[in-house]
Amino acid sequence: MSKSTITPQEDLFKAVQNAIERRKNPVKLTFENLEYEVEVKLNAQDAKAKGQKTMRQRIVKGASGYALPGQALYIMGSSGAGKTSLLNLISDRIASTRANKMSGKVLINDTVPLTQSTFGQVASYVMQDDVLFHNFTPREALRFAARLKLPISIQEQDKRVEDLLHELGLLGAADTLIGNARFKSLSGGERKRTAIGVELISDPSMILLDEPTSGLDSFKALSIVKLLQKLARNGMTVIATLHQPSSEAFTIFDRLILMADGHIMYQGLARDSTKYFSSIGLNCPLFSNPADYYMKVLTINYPKQESDEKKLTFMMNSYDQRQKSIVQKEQSQIKIQEFDFNESRIQQTGFCFQMKQLIGRNSLNQRRDPRQTFVKIFQTIFMALVILPIFWDLSGNGFVVQMGLAGAIFFMLVNMTFGGVLGTILVFQDERPVFLREFSNRMYQVPAYYLAKVLVETPVMALNPLLNAIIVYFGIGLTATASQFFYFYLITLMVSFCAASIGYFVSSLFEKEEDAVGMAPLFVLPQVIFGGFFANSGNYPVWIGWLQYLSPLRYGQEALIINEFLPRTYKSNEINLVDYLKYDLGMTKCLVIMLALIIGFRIISMIFLRLLVSKFQ
């Protein structure tokens, strides 16, 4: 057969065969009758009219199709068409809940169901928002991924990183900080290519991308499309959602799925799409961008009018009659051998190695963004200098003087509690998207991430109580002995660690910053009330008094009062403050209980962090 008689379909299938031969573990993805339905809460007016508070809404409706190695498949549709939901269904990244109903099947190479557990061995997923560690450079981001995902030597990893930087066109920006919304450094295209590179480091057989050109100008968007085509030609299965590509980008598309209202309205070669729509009476104007025309044709107004329903019915019937059987036939023509999971299995690195890499990253983050550390140190010094003149020289056994000194101690502990909780309450919020992505890619275990985060922040937590002790201890009239100073620092350190542990716990409970900050007083104020200073610990009502045992303030206050006042010698007419406040646990018990609270809250927060790792969407 001469070259001139080779059809576009045959030409593309030849590229598929070449890709299959080129790649060790090629992936053919098929999906059949995918349905996705969610429960939607109605507004008050609609709820009254319909007599119900919620209704079921179908997002994806009976979608079937396929993707092959050697081809880049693009899913297009207007906003609300269901293209991102389809991509998430394909990758099993929609959590199954009471409100969500899903059905259909997704298969790898016609045999193996694609689930979230198998997805990580087969494919990578690039989110619409670039989920990257902002204090890394592109080279560091790729190296970090390589260290935790590639079971090869460091020299080979670094070579893979440099090759990928060259392939992505990132060598010029390889050592520029990625930045974030507050501090933008890389351009949008460079950030997007870095995000793609992080997923490509392990050379997956398939890559899924949600709106990879979103927010980019036409030139940068075109470079992303060309990159995806290059990946496809090298044997990778590429699936991406796009909203409105330029005409130049559209001309190099391989395959196309067009969606409207959750239905597939066209599936096939991108170059044949205008011919198909012309055959059903929808002619794309000459010299116009077909993608723009399709967006116009496929746009549905909500709530749907009669004209929208007619248009949907017409396009659905046309697709069923003209395209559906062709797609099914094409899908059956390509057969790929069973996927070898042993060949592509990602061997997760050891726990200690994960800790080393994560500690290194967190330490780097502290060095490059030391503001939070400086703020914590400044707050400690400032509040200590405020306390010093107010409670100056409260030595002596007079009852009023003792109560004043006890008040100074309690105020310091309250200050440390608020500082400890608020200083750690957002520790998981800023990095939550990065953590979810990396965990879903099996880069590390939750305990390794958690412990590395805690260990790097420990030195600053240990420094602040020491600075406070040095500034206030001798000036406010506390007994100047080496042992009592040591115990003062140890007790305030334990309270600070307890408060930080509670902050970690609250941070692990909530996904949004505003929720964590808003709930912080609910966790802190009861500790202050049950601290044993505002009310005598022996006089709490039984039904609520148990809360005092969860308050580190209660144990810190008692331990510090015992440390300061128990060794004193009292005259017969002087009041022993330890007896007056009915503190009878003893310092050792207080320290042991605070240690238990530190360990307990941190274990619970680590468990919640693991339990709340939902499917990454």
Side-chain angles (χ1 to χ4, degrees):
M1 184 182 290
S2 66
K3 186 174 181 181
S4 59
T5 60
I6 296 177
T7 66
Q9 185 70 53
E10 291 170 333
D11 187 44
L12 203 55
F13 269 34
K14 184 179 179 182
V16 171
Q17 293 292 351
N18 291 335
I20 293 172
E21 294 171 3
R22 188 177 294 117
R23 177 166 285 272
K24 281 186 179 180
N25 240 343
V27 165
K28 171 189 176 184
L29 179 83
T30 56
F31 52 96
E32 300 176 15
N33 297 318
L34 291 183
E35 296 269 352
Y36 178 42
E37 187 178 88
V38 298
E39 189 175 77
V40 179
K41 188 175 181 180
L42 299 174
N43 59 44
Q45 184 177 355
D46 291 340
K48 184 176 180 181
K50 295 186 177 184
Q52 58 188 44
K53 294 182 179 180
T54 62
M55 64 174 289
R56 308 295 302 185
Q57 181 173 336
R58 293 171 70 205
I59 307 298
V60 178
K61 305 169 183 178
S64 298
Y66 69 93
L68 296 172
Q71 297 180 342
L73 170 65
Y74 295 94
I75 305 172
M76 289 177 55
S78 59
S79 297
K83 54 187 184 295
T84 298
S85 295
L86 176 60
L87 197 69
N88 285 332
L89 284 173
I90 290 171
S91 58
D92 193 35
R93 288 179 179 241
I94 296 179
S96 180
T97 65
R98 184 183 59 84
N100 296 344
K101 287 186 178 180
M102 294 166 285
S103 61
K105 59 182 179 179
V106 182
L107 299 175
I108 305 170
N109 299 353
D110 296 315
T111 56
V112 182
L114 183 64
T115 63
Q116 193 178 31
S117 59
T118 58
F119 182 86
Q121 301 176 53
V122 174
S124 291
Y125 191 105
V126 180
M127 299 296 295
Q128 180 177 352
D129 297 324
D130 303 323
V131 182
L132 297 165
F133 190 75
H134 68 280
N135 272 325
F136 265 166
T137 64
R139 178 175 279 117
E140 289 167 343
L142 266 61
R143 279 183 179 173
F144 181 80
R147 297 289 187 268
L148 293 170
K149 294 175 77 172
L150 298 182
I152 54 180
S153 68
I154 290 179
Q155 291 76 17
E156 291 175 306
Q157 291 175 3
D158 290 343
K159 184 179 184 304
R160 168 69 177 153
V161 167
E162 296 305 316
D163 291 344
L164 195 53
L165 287 170
H166 176 74
E167 185 178 349
L168 294 168
L170 286 171
L171 283 176
D175 297 313
T176 303
L177 286 181
I178 292 170
N180 54 22
R182 294 188 295 270
F183 172 70
K184 293 185 178 180
S185 185
L186 288 183
S187 68
E190 290 167 339
R191 285 177 60 89
K192 181 60 69 178
R193 279 177 280 157
T194 302
I196 295 173
V198 168
E199 300 301 335
L200 291 178
I201 196 70
S202 58
D203 193 27
S205 296
M206 179 169 65
I207 186 167
L208 283 69
L209 308 97
D210 186 17
E211 299 282 1
T213 61
S214 175
L216 303 182
D217 59 45
S218 58
F219 176 77
K220 292 174 182 174
L222 178 61
S223 69
I224 295 294
V225 172
K226 288 181 177 179
L227 171 63
L228 298 182
Q229 186 187 48
K230 182 180 179 182
L231 295 174
R233 295 298 183 267
N234 287 333
M236 194 175 293
T237 304
V238 178
I239 306 174
T241 63
L242 289 183
H243 183 64
Q244 210 158 353
S246 66
S247 56
E248 191 174 0
F250 188 83
T251 58
I252 60 175
F253 281 10
D254 292 332
R255 292 190 66 250
L256 185 65
I257 288 179
L258 296 176
M259 296 187 69
D261 195 44
H263 297 278
I264 292 179
M265 299 304 188
Y266 173 79
Q267 184 172 182
L269 296 179
R271 70 189 75 174
D272 291 344
S273 58
T274 53
K275 187 188 303 182
Y276 166 78
F277 278 98
S278 295
S279 71
I280 62 174
L282 299 172
N283 297 304
C284 178
L286 291 174
F287 311 113
S288 65
N289 182 1
D292 293 339
Y293 176 70
Y294 297 150
M295 290 304 100
K296 180 180 178 181
V297 169
L298 297 170
T299 296
I300 301 298
N301 298 308
Y302 297 96
K304 286 181 282 189
Q305 306 297 318
E306 184 178 353
S307 58
D308 295 310
E309 295 287 3
K310 286 183 178 179
K311 180 166 69 171
L312 283 171
T313 302
F314 169 73
M315 289 192 293
M316 287 163 53
N317 290 338
S318 298
Y319 176 75
D320 289 342
Q321 293 169 10
R322 296 170 178 262
Q323 284 287 115
K324 201 168 186 178
S325 60
I326 296 175
V327 170
Q328 291 172 345
K329 182 180 178 181
E330 290 174 352
Q331 186 271 125
S332 63
Q333 286 178 346
I334 299 292
K335 298 294 182 182
I336 300 178
Q337 64 184 4
E338 188 174 342
F339 191 86
D340 186 356
F341 284 94
N342 293 323
E343 176 72 27
S344 66
R345 190 179 302 277
I346 297 176
Q347 297 294 333
Q348 196 168 52
T349 55
F351 181 83
C352 292
F353 185 80
Q354 294 172 19
M355 285 278 292
K356 179 182 176 182
Q357 297 301 315
L358 289 163
I359 288 173
R361 181 173 73 173
N362 292 333
S363 300
L364 182 69
N365 186 47
Q366 273 196 349
R367 293 196 302 272
R368 289 182 176 169
D369 189 11
R371 292 173 300 169
Q372 290 186 358
T373 300
F374 289 154
V375 166
K376 290 175 184 178
I377 293 173
F378 173 78
Q379 287 176 340
T380 298
I381 295 173
F382 178 81
M383 290 307 300
L385 292 175
V386 169
I387 291 170
L388 191 60
I390 295 175
F391 298 99
W392 180 262
D393 194 19
L394 294 174
S395 56
N397 287 348
F399 181 71
V400 174
V401 172
Q402 288 188 85
M403 288 301 294
L405 190 56
I409 290 171
F410 188 74
F411 181 79
M412 282 188 286
L413 293 179
V414 170
N415 178 49
M416 288 179 185
T417 300
F418 272 96
V421 172
L422 297 179
T424 56
I425 201 168
L426 298 180
V427 70
F428 300 125
Q429 312 305 320
D430 289 340
E431 290 183 19
R432 195 178 191 91
V434 176
F435 164 67
L436 288 173
R437 176 183 62 77
E438 292 175 342
F439 178 79
S440 68
N441 287 342
R442 297 173 56 84
M443 291 175 66
Y444 48 71
Q445 304 169 44
V446 171
Y449 173 81
Y450 181 88
L451 291 175
K453 195 77 177 169
V454 169
L455 286 174
V456 170
E457 296 195 356
T458 297
V460 177
M461 290 183 193
L463 176 62
N464 284 336
L466 181 60
L467 289 174
N468 177 76
I470 292 172
I471 295 172
V472 306
Y473 188 87
F474 302 102
I476 65 176
L478 293 168
T479 306
T481 67
S483 63
Q484 286 175 288
F485 179 84
F486 168 77
Y487 277 111
F488 177 87
Y489 169 65
L490 176 62
I491 294 163
T492 53
L493 179 68
M494 297 284 277
V495 172
S496 182
F497 275 32
C498 278
S501 301
I502 294 171
Y504 292 137
F505 171 65
V506 177
S507 184
S508 69
L509 287 177
F510 302 101
E511 294 185 17
K512 298 180 180 178
E513 291 184 7
E514 55 268 29
D515 293 339
V517 174
M519 293 298 290
L522 186 64
F523 289 88
V524 177
L525 291 178
Q527 297 180 46
V528 177
I529 295 172
F530 290 99
F533 186 75
F534 292 124
N536 194 302
S537 60
N539 296 331
Y540 298 134
V542 175
W543 61 275
I544 200 174
W546 61 272
L547 286 172
Q548 67 179 298
Y549 302 115
L550 297 177
S551 171
L553 272 172
R554 183 248 191 275
Y555 303 108
Q557 176 76 355
E558 178 168 342
L560 285 177
I561 293 296
I562 291 173
N563 180 58
E564 176 59 32
F565 295 106
L566 191 62
R568 292 188 181 187
T569 302
Y570 291 90
K571 297 178 181 179
S572 59
N573 62 339
E574 292 176 340
I575 297 175
N576 185 324
L577 203 61
V578 178
D579 296 334
Y580 177 79
L581 294 174
K582 295 185 178 180
Y583 288 149
D584 55 3
L585 284 176
M587 186 186 296
T588 302
K589 281 187 179 179
C590 288
L591 291 173
V592 170
I593 292 172
M594 282 193 288
L595 179 61
L597 287 175
I598 292 170
I599 296 172
F601 273 115
R602 295 190 181 206
I603 290 175
I604 292 171
S605 60
M606 186 163 56
I607 291 172
F608 268 94
L609 195 63
R610 177 63 185 88
L611 290 176
L612 293 177
V613 174
S614 58
K615 291 186 177 182
F616 189 39
Q617 299 183 48

